Amino acid sequence: MTQYIRYFCCVFAGLALGISLTLVGQEHSQQYKQRINYPMLLDVIDTIETYYVDKISEEELIEGAIEGIFLKLDPYSSFLDKQSFTSVQESNNGEYFGFGVEIATDNDQITIVTPFAESPAAAAGIKPGDRVIKLNDQLVTAEKLESLLKQIKQHSYDKLPIELEMLRANSKDTYTVTLQPSIIAINSVEAAILDNKIGYIRLSSFQENTTPKLVKQLSAWQSTELNGIILDLRNNPGGLLDQAITIADLFLDKGRIVATEGRFFDANSDYYASPQTMAANIPITVLINKGSASASEVLAAALQDNGRATVIGQTSFGKGTIQSLIPTLMDGNAIKLTIAKYTTPNGKDIHSKGIEPDIKIEIEAVSDEESMPIIATNSLRESVAQDKLVSSAIAWIKAEN
């Protein structure tokens, strides 16, 4: 076969064996490979290319076959070409080019998980839970979903704007926005000391350097006798799970942090806190909203279930699965694959349910300037002082003291 057929074989081998090559022995890999009827698959591609009424290239057929595979999986699994893979890696490093919005595609719909702070999406007023109903005047349907998602990526790569017609969450109100892609720098840790010696920490995502930055901040506060700490996880879509686990460990001296479960042995783990801790005996409140997802839910649940923090705000997004980036065998592509699910320290599966706060307060999301003007101003301390949910957390801490 041609180069594309060889490439197709490599992609499928990467998908079938990407994790198992590193987790199981050669004998198991051989047995697994024998169960896959590759000749039939390649025969279908060759037959269509030869006899179909319209000419379709091998490359198009291979791309279609790959798309078909991921339609059988959950919305968080996808094939990443070289450019997409690079974007994900850059995002984990704290900077990327795009529209600044985290999306999910549950139930054949494009739903906003969260807009990133100071991004085009946040500036346009997009909020967690909003749904895209039209993209560039094209109605979002199950049949068009994959092609529309491709359009979003391609417009970002080509530095072209997109027009979105949105449906506001829990409402019948619609609105239209035009987003121009830009470079988005994600500062995952922001901090300030508020009145009454209360430390405020905003974690916007979990990147490779998030834990060291937080340790540095907590160390800088060692000489200050804090009355409490507010950990703000609102509109935090997640990121690197290991960062959420190590941050939970900073605040816990014992207890389970999270348990993971998957088909491969390395995806089955129980993570427990070590005796070393920071900010011991200081009351902690955690702020969440419907834009708090994935790794941020892991952190919130770990502190809540272990009785280390009081969680305040709205029910979180409810993403209880774990994804891994698995490079393919050639061309710099990768597969983003859901490899496990997780449960909270108390054994709860929060997928599609979310974390229920200890104190439920329905306040608009962080992207709402009236509610959380941190996005629109330069002074973190002044912005936080106007935040109603932060005020509620301060009141709780005062009551504890």
Side-chain angles (χ1 to χ4, degrees), residues 94-396:
E95 184 175 282
Y96 76 103
F97 189 87
F99 299 106
V101 63
E102 181 88 4
I103 63 174
T105 54
D106 287 311
N107 301 318
D108 298 322
Q109 299 174 345
I110 301 177
T111 303
I112 305 301
V113 177
T114 189
F116 290 106
E118 300 182 28
S119 69
I126 293 176
K127 299 179 181 180
D130 290 358
R131 185 159 58 87
V132 180
I133 55 178
K134 281 187 181 180
L135 169 65
N136 295 333
D137 290 325
Q138 300 174 74
L139 192 66
V140 176
T141 63
E143 295 75 19
K144 292 183 178 180
L145 188 61
E146 289 300 316
S147 65
L148 293 178
L149 292 174
K150 278 186 176 181
Q151 280 191 43
I152 295 175
K153 291 181 181 179
Q154 197 59 51
H155 276 63
S156 174
Y157 299 152
D158 296 339
K159 300 182 179 181
L160 296 174
I162 56 173
E163 183 178 273
L164 303 175
E165 185 174 340
M166 308 291 298
L167 178 66
R168 186 69 77 190
N170 302 318
S171 170
K172 296 182 179 179
D173 296 335
T174 61
Y175 63 98
T176 301
V177 296
T178 299
L179 304 182
Q180 181 72 44
S182 65
I183 294 177
I184 299 168
I186 305 172
N187 183 12
S188 61
V189 180
E190 295 178 280
I193 293 183
L194 309 180
D195 293 336
N196 304 302
K197 293 184 179 180
I198 293 174
Y200 171 86
I201 300 170
R202 161 80 179 145
L203 297 181
S204 58
S205 64
F206 296 93
Q207 300 161 359
E208 291 178 356
N209 63 351
T210 301
T211 300
K213 289 175 72 173
L214 181 57
V215 169
K216 183 178 179 180
Q217 182 60 64
L218 292 173
S219 297
W221 286 348
Q222 289 293 321
S223 59
T224 303
E225 190 174 336
L226 296 177
N227 291 319
I229 291 177
I230 298 172
L231 198 59
D232 193 344
L233 302 180
R234 288 174 295 174
N235 283 19
N236 181 327
L240 300 175
L241 177 64
D242 65 324
Q243 295 292 304
I245 292 172
T246 54
I247 289 172
D249 196 13
L250 292 178
F251 297 110
L252 295 171
D253 58 6
K254 62 180 179 179
R256 175 188 282 172
I257 295 174
V258 68
T260 64
E261 179 183 350
R263 288 196 304 117
F264 294 96
F265 69 86
D266 207 38
N268 294 274
S269 298
D270 264 337
Y271 297 89
Y272 287 86
S274 61
Q276 293 76 27
T277 185
M278 300 186 74
N281 304 316
I282 298 176
I284 298 176
T285 60
V286 176
L287 308 184
I288 62 172
N289 68 356
K290 54 192 173 185
S292 306
S294 194
S296 63
E297 293 176 292
V298 169
L299 175 56
L303 299 182
Q304 182 185 49
D305 283 2
N306 283 288
R308 182 63 185 92
T310 297
V311 177
I312 301 175
Q314 299 171 308
T315 302
S316 62
F317 183 81
K319 181 175 177 288
T321 58
I322 300 166
Q323 286 69 45
S324 179
L325 291 176
I326 307 167
T328 59
L329 303 182
M330 62 182 295
D331 287 349
N333 304 311
I335 296 166
K336 180 185 176 186
L337 196 66
T338 298
I339 63 168
K341 61 182 180 179
Y342 70 81
T343 54
T344 71
N346 287 346
K348 297 175 187 174
D349 178 1
I350 59 95
H351 194 66
S352 300
K353 304 170 187 174
I355 295 170
E356 290 293 333
D358 300 302
I359 303 173
K360 196 163 189 174
I361 301 176
E362 295 291 342
I363 294 180
E364 285 299 311
V366 69
S367 53
D368 185 342
E369 289 184 1
E370 293 180 2
S371 164
M372 184 62 175
I374 180 175
I375 288 174
T377 62
N378 293 323
S379 172
L380 176 66
R381 192 173 185 278
E382 292 177 3
S383 300
V384 172
Q386 303 172 49
D387 188 303
K388 296 177 182 177
L389 199 58
V390 172
S391 298
S392 299
I394 292 173
W396 181 88

Side-chain angles (χ1 to χ4, degrees), residues 36-52:
I36 308 298
N37 196 343
Y38 293 118
M40 177 181 290
L41 187 58
L42 299 180
D43 185 42
V44 170
I45 291 175
D46 191 44
T47 301
I48 293 173
E49 183 194 14
T50 303
Y51 298 108
Y52 187 63

Side-chain angles (χ1 to χ4, degrees), residues 68-89:
I69 288 174
F70 286 98
L71 288 175
K72 292 289 185 180
L73 308 182
D74 71 335
Y76 302 107
S77 298
S78 61
F79 177 79
L80 303 178
D81 59 25
K82 188 174 182 179
Q83 200 167 23
S84 299
F85 186 26
T86 300
S87 295
V88 171
Q89 291 174 311

